[in-house]
Amino acid sequence: MTPRRPYRLAATTTAVAALAFGAVACGNGEQAATADGKVPVVVSTNVWGSVVTAVGGDKVSVKAIIDDPSGDPHSYQSTPEDAADAAGARLLVANGGGYDEFFTQMADQAPEARKVVAFEVGGHAHEGEAHAGEAHEEGHAHEHGEVNEHVWYDLPTVSKVADQIATQLGELQPADAGVFTANATQFKGKLDELTKQAEQIGTTHPDRKVVATEPIAHYLLETAKVADATPPEFAKAIEEESEVPAAAQDAMNQLVSGKQVHAVINNAQTTSPVTEQLVTTAKNAGVPVVDVTETLPAGVTDYIAWMTQEVNDLAAALGR
């Protein structure tokens, strides 16, 4: 069983100031490249590494701190080697939103590097502030104070990150700025096509509902206009790594065994006896299980190829 990780609230304005580093311009183009002419980039996970590679091409060297499908960014403890890699980078790219805090600490030790934080670039930090305000007024912090940090499933955010990476790389290595911009444009075109494919799911299969072992693919479901019927008490308990209330677990099982939902979205990377049992219930009931992950699957290096497969898997499950 893969270990669970602690529950996290998305960052509000104060927390973001401590956690995220923003896209700060430091250093200069002459210092950017290594001896082989490539800009050294360090990223928290291989997901964002794949985006950097799509934009930077052979003009960058990319090091992903977490490059193992079994790695868990929530609980990862950085090593001296990781810190050395970050200190030698000219660009650091993180997810943010409390997802990869270990990377923030390393980035603080690399003041000369430029930094890009996907959570902030996509505008989700402001959402966290707004929801936190609602939580304070209404007294329901868990219901209103959370923003999903899994922003690599938010295709518009990924597009903005690609632009920001192109800008930062272009300033670090001006001679190749046009290449970075062209690569980002091509990458964003593929993202646009992928977005259309995802949106088509809701158009072709309206009123589809799913449940999820964790809200990993939250943004993808939103794009696809697929309703998440997961009981809030179930989702909260799983995230907090606390015991799932019997009523919530029963409600979840009834939704699945009674085929009241069209698929179960399963975080295959982080499991527990409760989620494993739910997957078994789904398979026994003939309800499709769509596995999603938090890092690139083994053998996959291309973001578009990976996310296209995720979209295709969801479409196939909901088309049954």
Side-chain angles (χ1 to χ4, degrees), residues 184-194:
T185 299
Q186 183 180 36
F187 179 73
K188 292 191 300 174
K190 295 177 181 178
L191 283 175
D192 289 342
E193 289 301 314
L194 188 56

Side-chain angles (χ1 to χ4, degrees), residues 149-172:
E149 73 269 31
H150 308 105
V151 293
W152 63 90
Y153 274 105
D154 182 17
L155 301 180
T157 287
V158 176
S159 182
K160 292 176 182 177
V161 170
D163 272 337
Q164 186 61 51
I165 290 171
T167 297
Q168 297 299 320
L169 291 176
E171 293 178 1
L172 285 167

Side-chain angles (χ1 to χ4, degrees), residues 209-296:
K209 294 192 296 183
V210 301
V211 290
T213 59
E214 282 191 82
I216 302 299
H218 166 78
Y219 294 108
L220 180 58
L221 294 176
E222 280 194 338
T223 299
K225 297 180 177 60
V226 175
D228 185 349
T230 306
E233 295 81 5
F234 181 95
K236 177 183 174 183
I238 292 296
E239 287 286 309
E240 291 181 335
E241 196 183 355
S242 61
E243 184 175 354
V244 178
Q249 189 162 347
D250 287 344
M252 190 74 151
N253 287 333
Q254 288 177 18
L255 286 170
V256 175
S257 62
K259 295 187 176 183
Q260 299 176 49
V261 293
H262 299 87
V264 172
I265 311 301
N266 176 52
N267 181 2
Q269 199 162 328
T270 309
T271 62
S272 72
V274 171
T275 62
E276 290 172 347
Q277 183 271 329
L278 183 67
V279 167
T280 298
T281 298
K283 292 179 177 178
N284 289 340
V287 175
V289 176
V290 179
D291 286 337
V292 295
T293 56
E294 301 186 49
T295 56
L296 296 175

Side-chain angles (χ1 to χ4, degrees), residues 11-19 129:
T12 61
T13 300
T14 301
V16 168
L19 291 174
E129 178 183 3

